[in-house]
Amino acid sequence: NAGVTQTPKFRILKIGQSMTLQCAQDMNHNYMYWYRQDPGMGLKLIYYSVGAGITDKGEVPNGYNVSRSTTEDFPLRLELAAPSQTSVYFCASSRDRSNQPQHFGDGTRLSIL
Amino acid sequence: AQSVTQPDIHITVSEGASLELRCNYSYGATPYLFWYVQSPGQGLQLLLKYFSGDTLVQGIKGFEAEFKRSQSSFNLRKPSVHWSDAAEYFCAVAPATGGFKTIFGAGTRLFVKA
């Protein structure tokens, strides 16, 4: 039972670089989410998806992009990394909206220098 | 404005003592309510949730929470804390009528002393 798997666990980027945070789930969940967690703050929703091919913006989408070509995978892309994007990123999934979000990955700790 | 407040940034309790973590929310209508726990270096784990019905909700790991509409509160309780309960706890609210704008509180870190 892998659940939600995120890679990498840690990454340091330079300002202006780009990268993709990977997220995969093996529970056949329709709903997937990306959150960021800043120190002393609750999670903020970046993007979410209700199924393959369908994505929508959350509370803090600027500077990020997502895609959902399969049910399993929901990658998050940073195109031009900025120091304000230094954070811990969590991917999550749920079977439906009423259980949102239920299963979390262990996070990716990203530093932009 | 919609918000979730966890008044205590951190709490210390002795092992075996009872625990209550506070959560207050401001929302237009009765929302869905959740409590999550986060151990260091890990993602959040859902402890329990309230949608409707019985206002006392039982969760995993011996936790329970009580929804009090008149106080806009959803406090988390455990009768006897174990050292393994040391973690950060998050209260969250989500719209019951649609949308995905789950709002998380800032968290309460629980320390357990022997």
Side-chain angles (χ1 to χ4, degrees), chain A:
Chain A
N1 262 359
V4 178
T5 303
Q6 290 184 238
T7 56
K9 294 190 183 303
F10 305 94
R11 184 73 183 267
I12 297 175
L13 285 182
K14 294 182 179 179
I15 295 172
Q17 286 185 319
S18 62
M19 78 162 294
T20 299
L21 282 64
Q22 302 292 342
C23 175
Q25 52 93 7
D26 61 358
M27 297 168 284
N28 201 33
H29 283 173
N30 288 321
Y31 293 65
M32 296 188 74
Y33 316 80
W34 272 107
Y35 290 89
R36 60 177 288 171
Q37 183 180 34
D38 299 312
M41 308 275 288
L43 277 68
K44 302 285 188 185
L45 181 64
I46 304 172
Y47 271 94
Y48 66 93
S49 169
V50 302
I54 306 170
T55 63
D56 206 348
K57 297 177 180 179
E59 187 179 357
V60 290
N62 291 344
Y64 307 95
N65 279 299
V66 294
S67 60
R68 184 94 182 270
S69 57
T70 66
T71 299
E72 294 77 22
D73 299 301
F74 190 41
L76 177 73
R77 183 154 181 87
L78 285 69
E79 291 292 352
L80 289 171
S84 61
Q85 294 177 306
T86 293
S87 187
V88 181
Y89 291 84
F90 288 100
C91 180
S93 74
S94 61
R95 185 173 304 281
D96 54 49
R97 194 188 71 80
S98 65
N99 284 309
Q100 54 144 326
Q102 190 164 24
H103 299 269
F104 281 80
D106 288 341
T108 295
R109 186 174 296 275
L110 180 64
S111 295
I112 315 295
L113 304 176

Side-chain angles (χ1 to χ4, degrees), chain B residues 12 23-26 34 37 48 51 55 65 70 82 86 96 103 107:
Chain B
T12 301
C23 174
N24 295 97
Y25 66 90
S26 173
F34 306 82
V37 60
L48 49 78
F51 289 166
T55 57
S70 61
H82 188 262
I103 301 172

